[in-house]
Amino acid sequence: MKAVQIFYEGRVQGVGFRYSVRQIAKGFNVMGWVRNLADGRVELQASGETEEVSAFLEGIRQSDLGSLIKKESENALATPPASRGFEIRI
């Protein structure tokens, strides 16, 4: 199992980023959430089998969202995010 926290920077708010990430997540066996932060970044937490999480994150990079992301910071999480499925948080 792999659990990660990702911070995305760039033009990632006001462009449907969170909704697109949720749609991409439907194609993978991952759980977690995504939310906007007050400083203009987007935070994502996801967990699942290592290969699924890696493929999900690569799916985000390869989608139309990839051109909006200027910086991506990844941190390993000791415990998986508490969520049912993959959701948008406010």
Side-chain angles (χ1 to χ4, degrees):
M1 289 291 284
K2 179 177 183 176
V4 295
Q5 175 187 48
I6 311 283
F7 292 102
Y8 293 105
E9 297 178 44
R11 190 164 171 243
V12 294
Q13 290 193 16
V15 293
F17 192 92
R18 294 171 299 157
Y19 297 95
S20 296
V21 166
R22 185 177 62 186
Q23 284 301 112
I24 293 167
K26 290 179 180 179
F28 297 92
N29 188 19
V30 295
M31 294 180 56
W33 51 265
V34 63
R35 69 177 176 175
N36 284 344
L37 298 176
D39 63 6
R41 297 178 299 161
V42 168
E43 178 185 8
L44 175 146
Q45 291 194 12
S47 67
E49 294 298 326
T50 301
E51 300 80 21
E52 282 291 302
V53 173
S54 296
F56 167 53
L57 298 176
E58 186 59 27
I60 294 171
R61 288 184 210 104
Q62 296 298 321
S63 73
D64 292 342
L65 299 176
S67 64
L68 304 174
I69 300 167
K70 298 292 182 237
K71 184 178 177 189
E72 181 180 322
S73 306
E74 180 175 329
N75 304 304
L77 294 174
T79 58
S83 68
R84 288 184 223 145
F86 196 89
E87 59 194 22
I88 295 172
R89 292 205 175 157
I90 309 225

